[in-house]
Amino acid sequence: MINKLKNFLGGKNLAMDLGTANTLLFVPGVGIVVNEPSVVAVDTFTNVVIAVGTEAKTYMGRAPDRIKVIRPIRDGVIADYEATRQMVTLFVSKAVHKLSLLRPLLTICVPMGITQVEKRAVRESGLQGGARDVKLIVEPLAAAIGAGLPVKEPIGSMVLDIGGGTAEVAVISLSNIAFSESVRTAGDALNESIQRYFQENFQLLIGENMAEEVKIEIGSAIPLAEPLSREVYGKSMLNGSPTKVLATDENIRLAMVEPLNRIVDTMKNALEKTSPELVADIHDNGLLLVGGGALLKGLDVLLSRETNICVHVDEDPLTTVVRGTGKVLDKKAGFGDVFLPE
């Protein structure tokens, strides 16, 4: 694998999905070489990064005061520049193996609503991380390319990308975004709503990792044919002792009602503001659902019921965006006009 990487990365291209929840790196001709949580653990005494990615995530809620566990990407944008720079450096180093000798051209996908200041921070983070040049592409467009939608044609394609920090819906035609709508309600908001639900209904404090586990295992957007349940562990708000409760899929569904409604409303609003011709195309072709949120059981059915549009979940929704970014790097594919201006 390392020899194959060396062959492809000698001054060539690297695609990055710098996400709120996970960071993925894609090498053309090789595939995904890094897929880890966007988490950094720092020793506050020495200001040295001691862990990143999967290892750092296991520290969340368990680290002593000396170790600060940081999620440097919040709501799809850089919240902690220095931690992001170090995380990017380590991830890129892992991908190219010897960063000092191989400085790749790096393409990073970013949220639709990114500001000029945030663009500059992302570019600088990539350059400081070891890239010799950095280009940006918006996530919904990258997702549409990754899923093979006819983005170059005068046909409306609709994408809903639900990541960790943002849910973005975009209508794409002729390699451009015809209309987009974004809400900072996504996977993190679902986790937080589950945590609040257990506090209010079970007087139980649970960690972010536990909330995410419960969401993935028994969470659903609609009632299930076969009910699910599992034990949830946390700390009692009454006496501080370790406590467990039995939760059902209905509990988790009730917990997530509010953020899911915001996502549905965002999609409806986008449809209302899109031209009739493009809406007709979307009705014929359906909606593409990508991102980690696409894995929530029954979400495609809920969205279809609420909008009267057929919803298609990508075959691998967690990697759609980075795969699309990788396709853009292939000059033969003809996507050279989709990068954001500097």
Side-chain angles (χ1 to χ4, degrees):
M1 181 67 172
I2 290 176
N3 290 333
K4 196 174 183 182
L5 280 173
K6 288 179 179 178
N7 292 335
F8 279 95
L9 286 174
K12 294 205 174 181
N13 298 327
L14 185 63
M16 174 179 282
D17 180 0
L18 187 60
T20 300
N22 294 282
T23 295
L24 293 86
L25 284 169
F26 179 94
V27 181
V30 177
I32 294 170
V33 294
V34 171
N35 183 358
E36 297 199 38
S38 301
V39 184
V40 179
V42 180
D43 185 327
T44 58
F45 287 10
T46 62
N47 203 32
V48 172
V49 172
I50 59 175
V52 296
T54 302
E55 182 183 357
K57 188 174 181 180
T58 64
Y59 293 5
M60 293 178 66
R62 298 183 175 94
D65 292 341
R66 175 171 177 167
I67 299 174
K68 184 178 182 181
V69 182
I70 305 168
R71 294 184 60 191
I73 312 296
R74 284 289 180 181
D75 299 327
V77 296
I78 294 177
D80 188 318
Y81 172 75
E82 180 58 24
T84 301
R85 185 191 65 79
Q86 295 190 64
M87 182 179 74
V88 169
T89 299
L90 291 168
F91 283 152
V92 171
S93 297
K94 182 178 291 189
V96 302
H97 195 59
K98 290 185 178 179
L99 185 60
S100 60
L101 300 176
L102 303 170
R103 293 175 61 85
L105 298 172
L106 180 62
T107 299
I108 303 177
C109 45
V110 294
M112 277 296 309
I114 191 170
T115 65
Q116 287 297 327
V117 173
E118 291 165 345
K119 286 180 188 177
R120 187 161 56 251
V122 172
R123 284 196 175 97
E124 290 176 357
S125 176
L127 291 170
Q128 290 291 322
R132 69 175 183 272
D133 191 20
V134 176
K135 294 183 178 181
L136 306 180
I137 179 175
V138 292
E139 291 173 358
L141 184 53
I145 294 170
L149 298 185
V151 297
K152 297 180 185 179
E153 305 298 324
I155 299 172
S157 298
M158 194 174 201
V159 176
L160 175 58
D161 180 6
I162 305 176
T166 58
E168 298 181 314
V169 58
V171 179
I172 300 162
S173 179
L174 294 170
S175 298
N176 280 281
I177 304 294
F179 182 81
S180 67
E181 192 86 10
S182 177
V183 60
R184 294 192 173 186
T185 301
D188 288 348
L190 294 175
N191 294 343
E192 291 165 6
S193 67
I194 292 170
Q195 289 177 285
R196 285 195 300 272
Y197 181 87
F198 278 90
Q199 289 180 37
E200 295 169 1
N201 294 275
F202 294 100
Q203 289 73 53
L204 184 70
L205 295 172
I206 65 172
E208 184 178 343
N209 287 347
M210 175 58 68
E212 185 173 23
E213 285 180 23
V214 170
K215 177 185 69 178
I216 293 171
E217 189 172 333
I218 66 172
S220 68
I222 61 171
L224 300 174
E226 295 185 11
L228 299 173
S229 64
R230 64 155 284 172
E231 291 182 334
V232 178
Y233 297 87
K235 182 174 76 171
S236 170
M237 296 175 62
L238 302 177
N239 55 27
S241 64
T243 306
K244 65 180 180 180
V245 298
L246 184 66
T248 65
D249 60 289
E250 182 179 6
N251 294 137
I252 310 307
R253 196 161 48 252
L254 289 172
M256 298 188 296
V257 165
E258 185 178 339
L260 286 178
N261 283 343
R262 286 200 293 270
I263 293 172
V264 170
D265 290 342
T266 299
M267 186 175 164
K268 287 181 178 179
N269 190 50
L271 287 169
E272 289 175 4
K273 295 181 179 180
T274 300
S275 71
E277 291 83 2
L278 291 175
V279 170
D281 290 339
I282 295 165
H283 182 270
D284 291 340
N285 301 324
L287 165 82
L288 174 68
L289 183 59
V290 302
L295 298 174
L296 181 66
K297 301 175 188 68
L299 180 57
D300 55 336
V301 177
L302 174 66
L303 292 171
S304 183
R305 286 177 181 173
E306 293 291 330
T307 61
N308 197 32
I309 293 174
C310 183
V311 177
H312 308 284
V313 180
D314 188 58
E315 59 183 11
D316 188 4
L318 288 170
T319 67
T320 315
V321 170
V322 79
R323 285 188 281 113
T325 307
K327 287 183 180 180
V328 169
L329 299 178
D330 182 0
K331 293 182 180 179
K332 295 180 181 179
F335 290 111
D337 57 345
V338 299
F339 298 109
L340 290 177
E342 296 189 11

